[in-house]
Amino acid sequence: MTTAKTPANFTELGLISPLLARLTELEYQQPTPIQAQAIPSALAGRDLIAGANTGSGKTATFALPMLQHIVEQQGGTSKGGKGNYVTGLVLVPTRELAKQVADSIKSYSVHFNGAVKTVAVFGGVSANTQMLALRGGTDVLVATPGRLLDLISSNAIKLDRVKTLVLDEADRMLSLGFTEELSALLALLPKQKQTLLFSATFPEEVTSLAHALLNNPVKLQLQSADASTLVQRVFTVNQGEKTAVLAHLIQQNAWRQALIFVNAKKHCEHLAEKLAKRGIKAEVFHGDKGQGSRTRVLDGFKSGEIDVLIATDIAARGLDIEKLPVVINFDLPRSPADYMHRIGRSGRAGEVGLALSLIDHEDYHHFGIIEKKNKLRLEREEVAGFEVDASVAEALANVAKPMAKPAGSGKKKNKNKDRKPSAAEIWLKRL
Ligand code: AMP
């Protein structure tokens, strides 16, 4: 495992002048640690598994070398007919991330003067427009897996000439939810290719899987909860008082914006209604909303027109909302990894950020697990005026004590007998 070293400047990393000129325009003064570490290996054609904090510049880390290879080796789609092929394929878990990543890649390509074509394809919008965009092939395709499979079955695109595959949010892409679609796509890709895996969190299971997918990869791990840019706080509240505490925090703190996470689509609307009764206007963002509404709301939040957004975990991955001051976990995420992804929407690119979690006594134990898995230990605080009832505080103090075992629990169970296979086991069988 390679460790972080002082970042070089972009010129030293071996990038070509059209890219360097663009980075200067974007005011990227020096590479972030993951960029400094990973770009030379990616330029050298190595496979890569990279773990780095959310908001640490991962998109440029894979996009810049991929663009450089395309321009140097193939010359881009403008240099002759390429049929309906794609050279660089980036797979992402959500529609919004597909659009965001494609926009970044287009922005990095401006000085190639149209020689590099980038297209984003994702569900929820017309496939016809995307088919038209894919005509004549594309250099970089950023896609969600389901829509990509649909487009392949309509012969709109072929994957057998892909030279670079990127799995962004790789732990999510390799989780059970995407197994069917991703294994179908991997079967269509050529064996000989460069594969780059990026995520803020890499559970052990995914790391073992990665070895089956990658060829002698360079491994980089630059993660650390950077206390100087993202402050995490946790507030203990009485059951039934979360909404009142949330409204109080929003009104007291006058944050420019706030992103609030809940665990279910219908909770988004419920919470928005309850906040409205307290004079706080909030918009909602979840998977049951039409794509038009999703785009409008996210654009409104990114541009600062919307102050308070209530979302499910579809907003947890990769979204880059400039200078977002605070993320609030109204409900705790089920998975400890998702906690890191959610809070990573704030405190990006070295900005100061704040992540708050509201926990009542039902959340207390689970928050302990989230802390343990993410190697955190946060002080439990209370919000003035909403102090936790003494009886609850006493019960909470006992949460850590082991519970008495029920009668008959002494028998040893064969743990493996009824256990469902893990994502890694399912994957490895398919490879
Ligand atoms: P990402 O992790 O790729 O979503 O990037 C997070 C944010 O950091 C984006 O707004 C990027 O434009 C920005 N960014 C990426 N690399 C750099 C850099 N070297 N210097 C300054 N900002 C950067």
Side-chain angles (χ1 to χ4, degrees), residues 10 28-32 35 55-60 108 318 320 348-349:
F10 280 111
Y28 288 11
Q29 280 160 11
Q30 60 171 20
T32 63
Q35 290 164 355
S56 59
K58 290 195 288 293
T59 315
Y108 296 137
D320 188 35
R348 294 171 73 71

Side-chain angles (χ1 to χ4, degrees), residues 53-376:
N53 275 354
T54 51
S56 59
K58 290 195 288 293
T59 315
T61 308
F62 62 74
L64 300 173
M66 188 163 67
L67 290 169
Q68 184 153 328
H69 284 154
I70 287 169
V71 171
E72 287 182 342
Q73 293 168 10
Q74 288 102 34
T77 40
S78 67
K79 305 273 166 60
K82 289 258 173 8
N84 50 353
Y85 294 104
V86 53
T87 308
L89 176 63
V90 184
L91 294 176
V92 296
T94 67
R95 300 167 186 178
E96 287 72 20
L97 196 52
K99 186 175 176 305
Q100 179 182 295
V101 168
D103 287 346
S104 298
I105 296 175
K106 286 177 195 168
S107 163
Y108 296 137
S109 315
V110 291
H111 293 302
F112 294 132
N113 302 322
V116 177
K117 179 174 160 192
T118 297
V119 176
V121 298
F122 46 84
V125 291
S126 151
N128 288 342
T129 323
Q130 295 174 352
M131 283 183 192
L132 281 177
L134 290 171
R135 272 203 190 153
T138 185
D139 296 299
V140 183
L141 181 61
V142 188
T144 52
R147 175 54 61 92
L148 179 56
L149 282 169
D150 292 346
L151 290 165
I152 291 168
S153 62
S154 324
N155 280 324
I157 196 82
K158 286 200 169 86
L159 300 188
D160 43 346
R161 292 199 197 162
V162 167
K163 294 253 189 303
T164 307
L165 168 69
V166 179
L167 296 187
D168 194 11
E169 306 292 335
D171 64 324
R172 176 81 188 95
M173 301 305 298
L174 293 169
S175 69
L176 281 179
F178 282 107
T179 316
E180 293 290 325
E181 290 169 341
L182 203 57
S183 56
L185 287 171
L186 292 178
L188 298 172
L189 287 159
K191 278 240 164 322
Q192 193 71 24
K193 61 181 176 306
Q194 182 182 32
T195 306
L196 310 172
L197 262 57
F198 286 85
S199 185
T201 51
F202 269 115
E204 263 168 49
E205 196 175 74
V206 176
T207 312
S208 65
L209 244 183
H211 287 279
L213 287 174
L214 304 181
N215 176 22
N216 185 25
V218 175
K219 282 170 255 166
L220 298 172
Q221 181 59 279
L222 290 102
Q223 233 143 304
S224 69
D226 188 346
S228 65
T229 65
L230 182 68
V231 176
Q232 298 174 57
R233 297 178 71 180
V234 52
F235 293 109
T236 316
V237 301
N238 286 313
Q239 202 159 30
E241 279 191 1
K242 275 193 184 182
T243 310
V245 171
L246 175 67
H248 171 80
L249 288 172
I250 292 174
Q251 281 157 343
Q252 285 290 301
N253 287 285
W255 292 303
R256 195 177 43 76
Q257 283 189 302
L259 173 59
I260 299 158
F261 280 103
V262 295
N263 279 350
K265 297 164 194 168
K266 60 178 190 297
H267 292 182
C268 291
E269 268 87 11
H270 286 167
L271 184 57
E273 282 163 23
K274 287 196 221 158
L275 287 180
K277 285 187 187 142
R278 292 169 186 270
I280 297 167
K281 188 170 157 29
E283 297 276 354
V284 299
F285 183 78
H286 58 70
D288 276 355
K289 289 274 161 196
Q291 191 53 39
S293 159
R294 276 168 66 162
T295 307
R296 179 186 60 75
V297 167
L298 191 62
D299 288 351
F301 196 57
K302 281 189 173 187
S303 71
E305 278 160 49
I306 294 171
D307 298 334
V308 179
L309 185 64
I310 305 170
T312 59
D313 278 313
I314 60 164
R317 294 274 177 164
L319 294 186
D320 188 35
I321 300 142
E322 209 183 335
K323 297 188 169 57
L324 178 64
V326 60
V327 169
I328 303 174
N329 287 311
F330 184 86
D331 293 332
L332 289 182
R334 275 176 276 271
S335 124
D338 283 343
Y339 173 84
M340 297 310 288
H341 290 283
R342 284 181 177 189
I343 67 171
R345 297 316 98 216
S346 183
R348 294 171 73 71
E351 294 288 339
V352 173
L354 179 62
L356 305 182
S357 298
L358 305 184
I359 60 170
D360 62 25
H361 76 265
E362 287 197 347
D363 300 317
Y364 208 75
H365 178 68
H366 185 51
F367 196 77
I369 294 171
I370 289 176
E371 283 182 307
K372 196 169 163 212
K373 292 274 180 192
N374 291 314
K375 299 189 175 62
L376 299 167

